[in-house]
């Protein structure tokens, strides 16, 4: 298995531009999570999908952020318009929700820099 | 108060020593507890998880859970320079499927 695949790995953009981050979860995993990591705030959960349905988006910082999961093998996180304070590493993670512990497997991350 | 607290470190130990990493959490309903390791510039990777009080061992790693004290720890025996990384404690919140992470403890193992 190729693991969780994220793209792009690096994105540099200017304030006000739209940014779209992409994620392909592990095949067979039915839960998908978007996290953001900064030095100041650590790893923060933004949104969580189960079976392609958004379950909890309380971590999405504001209306500029939106996430979709149109099918079991693809999700996007969009920021529009982007601001310098959005600069961070964005991780996608997937897991199999079921009995027992919910083990997350992370993608390599997308490093976003907003100038 | 943060939901999951860790000392940011750095924690410095000599090679071959035992490294002890600690974590406290605020949600008494938390059921599953995880330790992830993150090398600089890389993504978090799972070391182990625990959900019963007591100890759980996996190779050089031992996770300890005390739900009454809301305390989780990770012991690394025979520490190696390759163990130098940030260790993240994560806890399920609200008895659900979501993980909340602590800020991480940076471990440095000196040869």
């Amino acid at each position: 298995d190729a693991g969780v695949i994220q793209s792009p790995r690096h994105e540099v953009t200017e304030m006000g531009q739209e940014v779209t981050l992409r994620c392909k979860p592990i095949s067979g995993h039915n839960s998908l999570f978007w996290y953001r990591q900064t030095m100041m705030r650590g790893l923060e959960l933004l949104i969580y999908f189960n079976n392609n349905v958004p379950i909890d988006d309380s971590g999405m910082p504001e209306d500029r952020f939106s996430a979709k999961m149109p099918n079991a093998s693809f999700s996007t996180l969009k920021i529009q318009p982007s601001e310098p304070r959005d600069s961070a590493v964005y991780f996608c993670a997937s897991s199999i929700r079921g009995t027992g512990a919910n083990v997350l497997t992370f993608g390599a991350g997308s490093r976003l820099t907003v100038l | 108060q943060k939901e999951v607290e860790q000392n940011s470190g750095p924690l410095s130990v000599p090679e071959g020593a035992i490294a002890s990493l600690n974590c406290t959490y605020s949600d008494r309903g938390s059921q599953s507890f995880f330790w992830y390791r993150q090398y600089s510039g890389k993504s978090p990777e799972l070391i182990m998880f625990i959900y019963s009080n007591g100890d759980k061992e996996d190779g050089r790693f031992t996770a300890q859970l005390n739900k009454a004290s809301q305390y989780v720890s990770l012991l690394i025996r025979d520490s190696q320079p390759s163990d130098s990384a940030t260790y993240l404690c994560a806890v399920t919140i609200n008895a659900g499927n979501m993980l909340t992470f602590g800020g991480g403890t940076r471990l440095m193992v000196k040869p």
Side-chain angles (χ1 to χ4, degrees), chain B residues 12-81:
Chain B
S12 183
V13 300
E15 183 175 355
I18 296 175
S20 178
L21 304 160
N22 304 316
C23 170
T24 58
Y25 60 94
S26 60
D27 182 3
R28 285 196 172 274
S30 297
Q31 297 180 338
S32 302
F33 307 85
F34 302 78
W35 284 99
Y36 281 80
R37 176 176 63 198
Q38 187 175 26
Y39 292 110
S40 180
K42 302 296 185 182
S43 58
E45 54 181 354
L46 180 72
I47 298 174
M48 62 191 304
F49 62 86
I50 185 169
Y51 42 80
S52 299
N53 273 329
D55 294 359
K56 179 180 179 183
E57 187 174 317
D58 185 358
R60 296 187 295 113
F61 299 95
T62 299
Q64 300 174 316
L65 174 60
N66 184 325
K67 289 186 177 181
S69 300
Q70 295 175 246
Y71 178 88
V72 190
S73 65
L74 180 70
L75 301 179
I76 306 175
R77 289 181 298 281
D78 188 24
S79 296
Q80 301 296 310

Side-chain angles (χ1 to χ4, degrees), chain A residues 28-73:
Chain A
H29 282 195
N30 58 0
S31 294
L32 184 139
F33 304 79
W34 282 101
Y35 282 87
R36 176 172 70 175
Q37 188 173 40
T38 61
M39 289 292 291
M40 289 294 294
R41 301 174 68 89
L43 258 177
E44 302 174 280
L45 178 64
L46 301 178
I47 187 169
Y48 150 50
F49 293 86
N50 191 52
N51 292 324
N52 313 336
V53 176
I55 303 300
D56 191 315
D57 65 355
S58 59
M60 296 287 261
E62 47 197 276
D63 291 346
R64 297 185 296 107
F65 285 70
S66 62
K68 294 181 179 180
M69 191 165 187
N71 57 62
S73 59

